[in-house]
Amino acid sequence: LCSYNNPQRLRQTISKLVPDDLRSSVQIIVVDGFSEPSFIRGYQDLAAERNVKVVSMNECNFSTPRAYNIGAVHATGEYILFA
């Protein structure tokens, strides 16, 4: 998943995509598009609460396909779903 300055919406998206009973068997990778520091804590909290890995970009101008490619590099599962 791609995200920028919106950990609350990301939390809602994850809740809708992955039911609670499947969370432990699904790896969720979030590529953060250089969010402002005030939002980083929300991503860190999300990563601590759920099976979420946050990959932070160190630049603000990136495309969604590039973010998906970066997420795919960090994936360890057999299948990849982009949302």
Side-chain angles (χ1 to χ4, degrees):
L1 300 169
C2 302
S3 189
Y4 174 72
N5 283 346
N6 205 339
Q8 237 0 11
R9 180 152 184 186
L10 180 64
R11 182 182 302 278
Q12 293 169 350
T13 300
I14 290 171
S15 294
K16 291 179 181 182
L17 284 175
V18 184
D20 287 336
D21 59 334
L22 292 178
R23 267 216 191 108
S24 63
S25 62
V26 175
Q27 179 187 32
I28 300 169
I29 300 172
V30 175
V31 179
D32 168 49
F34 202 60
S35 291
E36 295 174 23
S38 59
F39 292 97
I40 297 297
R41 180 68 185 166
Y43 292 118
Q44 292 170 339
D45 291 345
L46 184 62
E49 294 169 13
R50 303 174 188 266
N51 190 20
V52 175
K53 178 178 183 178
V54 178
V55 178
S56 295
M57 300 280 292
N58 58 1
E59 57 189 86
C60 60
N61 293 324
F62 69 94
S63 65
T64 300
R66 182 165 179 228
Y68 288 159
N69 287 335
I70 290 168
V73 167
H74 291 273
T76 58
E78 186 174 351
Y79 302 102
I80 297 176
L81 169 70
F82 298 106

